[in-house]
Amino acid sequence: MEMVRFDHNTGGIMLTEHLSEAERQYYYMDQCSIWVKEQEEKLGRPLTASVVTFGCQMNSRDSEKLTGILEKIGYTMIDSEKADFVIYNTCTVRENANLRVYGRLGQMKQTKKRNPGMFIALCGCMMQEPEVVEKLKKSYRHVDIIFGTHNIFKFAELIYRRITEDKMVIDIWKDTDQIVEDLPNDRKYPFKTGINIMFGCNNFCSYCIVPYVRGRERSRLPEEILKEIKNAVADGVVEVMLLGQNVNSYGKNLEHPMTFSELLREICKIEGLERVRFMTSHPKDLSDELIQVMAEEPKICKHMHLPLQSGSTEILNKMNRRYTKEDYLLLVDKLKKACPDISLTTDIIVGFPGETEEDFLETLDVVEKVGYDSAYTFIYSKRTGTPAAVMENQIPEDVVKHRFNRLLNRVQEIAANVCSRHEGTIQDVLVEEVNHQDDTLVTGRMSNNTVVHFKGDASMIGTIVSVKLLTCKNFYYIGEAVK
Ligand code: SAM
Ligand code: SF4
């Protein structure tokens, strides 16, 4: 690709041949930053921006990238939708996520009337649905920029187009095999960060919209992942969370295939990196090799998020999960044997089409047998375009709500019991922040992800402290630092 680039160092135009995609985007960031400076001079105040995130950890990570680009352009980030640039990074896994976005956009109409120069942008999974974009074009004309999940790296270019074209900019890609590296990003915490190791999903669970809106599975090159983590560690990061919809199938489609366990071993060699977490693990791809690496590598946190979805083999089959109740329980046994301290968490859907009381009792049975530290419980939400949406026997709302409440109560009782098993022990805690309610306390996490509060101060943030766990308060501990 060939393009003309403004060179700030020489103050002149330079012709740059064969720019990489990242270089093209840095060019647009430069262009936008000139515009931001002009606006700031005109207004006599800084231009502000805000990123509003819905949904999962993938979206949170994408939002750090959006923030990095906005900061590079020169916006001052604030935590308010009264900013000069507001971007909503959307989720569409469940229907109420969509409804929340429309609600917020409705309110923003008034906000924009008060600040007509502001920009409103939308991106993320919800934008990959054609009917959503049609609705926005028709009824939400105050939106300035719309893009999806595949071209987030083009954010600066799209802002540039909005500035220069002065009309709504829409750029949605159906799919991509492109992974653009080396763009700016701004970490929410200086000491921990999410690292994408792969994008997309090939599993097509029958209830789930993710494969349609995030595209096919693509793994990043191991050398790119290692480089990003090494740079983050040099910058003060001690904990990484490796992100993918199904990390256990990492590396299958690389030119030189590599397993997730092999990648983990390489990551654990990085000096200065203290903790490695990952999510999400699909039970059908969880290998013995991975369980062994978890047991052997002290840096790998003793926490496994292993979505169950349902405890009924029949429902699992209809969900296209490709494991049985027995397979799942066997995996849990292996994990507990290999890592006796492990904490297990899960996702469960209640009210999938055709779910009978017996099926639901199978789910409760797994919950009893596993003893989860916590579980995200969801009411099944019909997503148009997925196979489950047209299945017969959708479950009436009152039945689902009743089951959901029974499940939630049991999950909470068990979690409180399970959580207390470490009472009296000394654990390593990574301090994350000063406690919001009591500033004489700090809050951190154990390797197994359990929250601990203890006496301390801001100087401890980002360090790992030995803490004696004094009392368990259902889902967290009160402890004291030991010298
Ligand atoms: N890839 C991950 C996995 O396989 O578990 C999680 C992806 S999804 C964003 C997170 C969770 O949302 C899923 O584990 C599932 O429990 C829930 N979910 C997905 N589609 C849903 C739907 N249609 N209704 C209710 N919950 C849903
Ligand atoms: Fe959705 Fe299943 Fe893929 Fe997870 S593995 S993102 S639940 S299709």
Side-chain angles (χ1 to χ4, degrees):
M1 173 147 334
E2 183 176 296
M3 69 186 300
V4 177
R5 184 175 195 190
F6 184 82
D7 185 346
H8 287 299
N9 297 326
T10 61
I13 302 280
M14 67 179 188
L15 184 72
T16 315
E17 280 180 30
H18 306 298
L19 282 184
S20 68
E21 185 54 49
E23 285 170 320
R24 280 187 76 236
Q25 295 308 318
Y26 274 102
Y27 161 80
Y28 287 114
M29 285 175 230
D30 286 349
Q31 295 298 309
C32 292
S33 72
I34 295 169
W35 179 84
V36 166
K37 278 200 195 88
E38 282 169 5
Q39 297 303 305
E40 290 187 338
E41 261 164 43
K42 247 192 244 165
L43 296 167
R45 63 168 178 84
L47 281 195
T48 55
S50 176
V51 180
V52 183
T53 312
F54 296 91
C56 65
Q57 303 232 8
M58 292 280 192
N59 268 17
S60 302
R61 181 69 186 130
D62 283 347
S63 288
E64 291 185 344
K65 295 174 186 168
L66 298 169
T67 304
I69 292 169
L70 286 166
E71 281 179 335
K72 178 95 184 108
I73 287 174
Y75 281 99
T76 303
M77 300 309 296
I78 59 167
D79 201 7
S80 157
E81 282 158 84
K82 291 192 178 118
D84 297 294
F85 195 116
V86 179
I87 176 156
Y88 296 95
N89 187 5
T90 63
C91 168
T92 188
V93 169
R94 286 166 288 278
E95 198 190 359
N96 52 8
N98 288 31
L99 299 178
R100 276 167 67 200
V101 170
Y102 289 128
R104 296 287 263 275
L105 280 181
Q107 292 163 7
M108 288 307 282
K109 217 173 204 163
Q110 290 310 315
T111 313
K112 194 162 178 169
K113 269 195 188 136
R114 287 191 288 272
N115 180 8
M118 80 174 294
F119 289 155
I120 300 173
L122 285 161
C123 68
C125 294
M126 193 176 151
M127 300 306 118
Q128 293 298 137
E129 294 181 276
E131 45 304 346
V132 168
V133 177
E134 278 316 304
K135 183 165 172 167
L136 291 170
K137 282 202 300 208
K138 227 162 111 202
S139 313
Y140 296 85
R141 296 295 309 164
H142 56 299
V143 172
D144 296 282
I145 303 171
I146 301 174
F147 57 104
T149 54
H150 303 301
N151 53 350
I152 193 164
F153 65 86
K154 280 183 74 184
F155 185 33
E157 183 175 343
L158 301 176
I159 299 176
Y160 179 74
R161 276 184 52 199
R162 174 62 189 82
I163 293 167
T164 50
E165 293 172 14
D166 201 23
K167 61 173 194 227
M168 195 191 241
V169 174
I170 303 178
D171 191 10
I172 313 280
W173 295 8
K174 274 216 167 76
D175 209 343
T176 185
D177 52 11
Q178 208 173 351
I179 297 177
V180 179
E181 302 284 356
D182 296 328
L183 288 173
N185 73 78
D186 177 71
R187 282 195 301 278
K188 200 168 164 209
Y189 299 94
F191 54 88
K192 68 169 187 179
T193 187
I195 302 280
N196 297 108
I197 62 165
M198 58 203 298
F199 302 96
C201 181
N202 285 355
N203 290 310
F204 290 95
C205 301
S206 63
Y207 51 82
C208 185
I209 202 158
V210 170
Y212 305 91
V213 295
R214 288 263 171 189
R216 292 296 65 71
E217 203 172 276
R218 308 172 300 285
S219 295
R220 280 177 77 194
L221 291 172
E223 51 272 28
E224 292 292 350
I225 297 169
L226 291 166
K227 185 172 90 182
E228 186 180 351
I229 299 177
K230 281 179 191 161
N231 287 341
V233 169
D235 226 19
V237 163
V238 291
E239 177 179 301
V240 291
M241 165 73 93
L242 309 175
L243 295 170
Q245 294 297 350
N246 176 11
V247 290
N248 297 337
S249 68
Y250 171 80
K252 282 187 182 151
N253 301 323
L254 289 172
E255 201 183 328
H256 304 288
M258 181 185 213
T259 65
F260 179 52
S261 315
E262 286 165 347
L263 177 72
L264 275 174
R265 287 211 195 270
E266 289 306 309
I267 291 173
C268 288
K269 286 182 195 154
I270 296 175
E271 236 171 273
L273 181 65
E274 307 271 0
R275 285 182 167 185
V276 181
R277 301 185 183 278
F278 51 84
M279 78 185 299
T280 301
S281 280
H282 194 307
K284 80 175 165 59
D285 295 313
L286 204 170
S287 65
D288 289 347
E289 189 195 0
L290 176 60
I291 296 175
Q292 196 183 338
V293 182
M294 279 193 86
E296 287 172 7
E297 287 287 356
K299 288 185 182 181
I300 300 180
C301 289
K302 299 300 172 271
H303 170 213
M304 169 74 75
H305 184 69
L306 195 62
L308 168 69
Q309 312 302 0
S310 168
S312 150
T313 296
E314 202 168 314
I315 294 293
L316 285 170
N317 191 24
K318 286 187 186 152
M319 286 177 162
N320 192 28
R321 290 290 287 179
R322 285 174 278 169
Y323 53 85
T324 62
K325 176 186 181 186
E326 289 68 31
D327 296 335
Y328 186 94
L329 288 172
L330 186 66
L331 275 181
V332 168
D333 265 359
K334 284 188 193 171
L335 281 163
K336 285 184 175 173
K337 274 204 187 95
C339 313
D341 268 0
I342 199 162
S343 125
L344 294 163
T345 58
T346 198
D347 294 346
I348 298 171
I349 297 176
V350 180
F352 184 82
E355 183 189 72
T356 60
E357 177 64 15
E358 287 67 37
D359 292 320
F360 176 68
L361 291 176
E362 298 273 20
T363 300
L364 278 183
D365 186 44
V366 176
V367 166
E368 298 286 343
K369 288 195 164 112
V370 175
Y372 293 108
D373 279 66
S374 74
Y376 296 94
T377 48
F378 304 109
I379 286 181
Y380 167 72
S381 171
K382 199 179 193 179
R383 304 315 287 130
T384 309
T386 63
V390 288
M391 283 182 188
E392 281 173 10
N393 228 336
Q394 302 280 331
I395 310 296
E397 210 180 301
D398 56 332
V399 176
V400 180
K401 282 222 167 109
H402 183 57
R403 283 182 194 159
F404 181 80
N405 291 336
R406 282 156 69 199
L407 175 67
L408 195 63
N409 287 340
R410 199 57 199 125
V411 157
Q412 287 180 347
E413 282 163 10
I414 293 173
N417 200 17
V418 169
C419 178
S420 68
R421 70 192 184 279
H422 298 290
E423 210 169 71
T425 63
I426 293 174
Q427 300 282 339
D428 284 345
V429 174
L430 173 59
V431 180
E432 300 202 332
E433 58 194 0
V434 172
N435 189 290
H436 295 299
Q437 269 100 46
D438 177 352
D439 63 9
T440 66
L441 298 178
V442 287
T443 298
R445 279 176 195 273
M446 291 163 34
S447 161
N448 77 2
N449 216 28
T450 305
V451 168
V452 184
H453 307 291
F454 63 99
K455 286 263 177 257
D457 58 47
S459 69
M460 290 174 164
I461 293 174
T463 63
I464 293 181
V465 179
S466 288
V467 178
K468 178 151 192 202
L469 306 178
L470 301 176
T471 356
C472 177
K473 304 261 183 188
N474 287 343
F475 309 109
Y476 63 87
Y477 280 100
I478 301 292
E480 71 181 7
V482 287
K483 293 266 152 35

